[in-house]
Amino acid sequence: MARVSTVNPLAREISAKIVYYGPGLSGKTTSLQHIHAAVRPETRGQLISLSTEGDRTLFFDFMPLKIEQVRGLTLRLQLYTVPGQVFYDATRKLVLNGADGVVFVADSQRAAADSNAEAMSNLATNLGELGIDLAAFPVVVQYNKRDLAGVMPVEEMRRELNPRGVPDFETVARRGDNVLEALREVTRLVVKELKARQPVRRAPMQLRLDPGADIASQVSAHASRSPDAVQAPPAAEPRGDRAALLPLSFTRMFPQRAQAIADIEAAIRERTWGAAVRAAAHEVAEILNALPASESAAAARATLLGLDGREYLRLSRLAARPDAALAEPDALFALYLLVAALVKDERV
C-alpha cells in the first residue's frame, strides 16, 4: 500500500511523520523530550501527551532548519512515540499508521534483549499489516543507555536488531548524546523517499466548477487535461458537453458512507454551504469516535489518525459558523477533509 503524506497547499508544506518505536522504558520519551528542548521555540509545536488505552503517546511537530524542500514544499516533521508495552498493540498500530519513517530505540541492557527483539518483530508485523515492507522502509536504530555499566556490545545488538545494516547510533537519551544525529539521518532517508514518491510539479491549473454538474466528474475531467491544453485559453463549452460527463462521485471510493457523501456533494451542487460543512464535520467526528483510543479530545484523535490538527480545528470552527458566513471554498474544504479522514481510516 502506498503511503500518502499530508500536503497543506495553502501553507505550501508537506508533513512527514516519524515514529519512535521500541520496548517499554527504552528511552523513546526521553529522546523526544530532548529533541523538543533542542528545537528553536519559534519552529516547534507544543509537546502533547495523549492518553491512549491506559498508556500515553507523545507528539509534537516542528519545522526543521537547513532542510531542502520537497518538490517546492517546505518540510514539517511530526514526531510521535508509541506505548512500549506489548498489550497496547492497537495503539502502536494506530500511531504507526501513515508513518514515513521510524527511529527504533533499543535498550542496551542485557536484560532487555528479549524485549528489544519482540519490539522489532512487532514493528515488522504492524508495518506488514499496513502493506509496508520493513526492509524497504526508512529506519534508523538507537542503541540507547550506552552510559550504563554492563551493557551489551554494539556488535551483538547489531546482529540481533539490524541485520540489513540501516544507519545506527549509540545514544544516551538522558544527555542527548547522538539523539539529534539519529533524527537528522532518518529525516534524510524520509526526504529521499518523499522526493521519489511526489510527482513532478506542473504549472497551476484553473478549476472552474459548475454547480449544476456533479463534483467528482468535473475534478476528474479537469485533472485529465494535458498541461498544454490547460495553459491555452479555455474555450466555451456547450452545456450539453458538460452534462455528458460521467457521473463520478466520491461515493464510489467509500461505499460504506455513500449516502452521507452523496448528501454532501448534493449540498455543494445546491450551494447550501452550511449543510455541506456540518454534514462533513459530523462524518469526520464519527470516524474519530470509532478509533481504538481512550483519549476523549477529538483533536487528539485526529492527530493519532494522521490528520493535520490545524485543519481539523478549522473544520470544527467552520461547522460552528452561521450559514451566511460560509462560502463554496469552505464546503469544498470540508469535503476534502472528510475524504482524507476516510483514506487514513482505511489504513488503521
Side-chain angles (χ1 to χ4, degrees):
M1 179 181 296
R3 301 189 298 284
V4 182
S5 299
T6 301
V7 176
N8 185 336
L10 297 179
R12 296 187 60 77
E13 292 178 3
I14 183 168
S15 295
K17 182 176 182 179
I18 296 175
V19 177
Y20 280 69
Y21 212 94
L25 304 177
S26 63
K28 302 181 298 297
T29 295
T30 307
S31 295
L32 211 65
Q33 289 171 332
H34 173 78
I35 294 168
H36 186 266
V39 172
R40 292 175 59 181
E42 63 269 25
T43 67
R44 75 188 183 201
Q46 181 183 357
L47 184 61
I48 300 172
S49 179
L50 308 177
S51 298
T52 51
E53 296 187 357
D55 201 346
R56 64 174 183 163
T57 294
L58 264 65
F59 157 80
F60 81 98
D61 66 352
F62 74 101
M63 195 85 70
L65 300 176
K66 299 180 181 178
I67 199 75
E68 40 185 327
Q69 293 187 328
V70 180
R71 301 294 185 193
L73 300 173
T74 302
L75 180 68
R76 177 175 292 276
L77 294 180
Q78 299 176 335
L79 306 187
Y80 291 76
T81 64
V82 297
Q85 289 75 14
V86 67
F87 46 85
Y88 296 129
D89 195 46
T91 302
R92 286 182 178 180
K93 292 178 184 177
L94 181 59
V95 175
L96 198 60
N97 178 45
D100 297 288
V102 163
V103 177
F104 186 89
V105 183
D107 189 332
S108 293
Q109 298 177 98
R110 188 164 294 280
D114 290 343
S115 298
N116 289 332
E118 182 279 331
M120 182 63 80
S121 175
N122 178 257
L123 172 61
T125 298
N126 285 341
L127 283 176
E129 291 183 5
L130 294 172
I132 299 169
D133 181 7
L134 175 61
F137 191 67
V139 176
V140 305
V141 179
Q142 289 184 202
Y143 306 116
N144 196 38
K145 303 185 180 180
R146 299 308 298 176
D147 57 327
L148 300 182
V151 295
M152 289 183 285
V154 169
E155 292 75 14
E156 180 181 348
M157 298 187 72
R158 190 172 283 136
R159 284 196 301 271
E160 294 296 324
L161 302 175
N162 190 13
R164 68 184 179 105
V166 302
D168 51 21
F169 299 83
E170 298 183 48
T171 62
V172 180
R174 66 182 185 87
R175 295 198 308 241
D177 296 1
N178 281 333
V179 171
L180 292 176
E181 287 76 6
L183 174 62
R184 279 193 285 267
E185 180 59 23
V186 75
T187 301
R188 184 188 68 81
L189 296 175
V190 166
V191 167
K192 181 180 179 181
E193 181 157 314
L194 285 177
K195 287 183 175 180
R197 282 160 42 193
Q198 294 299 314
V200 176
R201 294 175 59 82
R202 299 185 184 275
M205 298 185 293
Q206 293 182 342
L207 176 57
R208 300 180 180 179
L209 293 179
D210 176 10
D214 68 276
I215 304 297
S217 64
Q218 294 180 79
V219 173
S220 176
H222 181 79
S224 66
R225 296 173 185 167
S226 69
D228 292 338
V230 171
Q231 292 169 3
E237 294 180 347
R239 179 73 184 185
D241 290 348
R242 286 200 182 116
L245 292 173
L246 290 175
L248 300 178
S249 168
F250 287 115
T251 58
R252 298 188 180 184
M253 293 178 62
F254 311 105
Q256 74 277 18
R257 293 185 183 265
Q259 187 58 58
I261 294 173
D263 291 344
I264 294 168
E265 291 178 345
I268 292 174
R269 289 194 297 271
E270 294 164 6
R271 308 181 72 82
T272 52
W273 315 127
V277 169
R278 287 190 295 275
H282 172 75
E283 293 301 314
V284 172
E286 285 200 345
I287 294 170
L288 299 181
N289 288 336
L291 294 179
S294 61
E295 173 62 50
S296 58
R301 288 172 170 264
T303 298
L304 285 176
L305 187 61
L307 294 176
D308 188 317
R310 293 162 296 179
E311 291 187 337
Y312 175 76
L313 291 176
R314 177 186 171 191
L315 176 62
S316 301
R317 295 190 188 102
L318 290 175
R321 290 182 182 176
D323 286 6
L326 298 171
E328 181 184 36
D330 301 320
L332 292 174
F333 169 78
L335 178 59
Y336 142 75
L337 196 60
L338 171 58
V339 171
L342 288 166
V343 170
K344 293 178 180 296
D345 186 55
E346 284 187 342
R347 300 165 60 195
V348 174

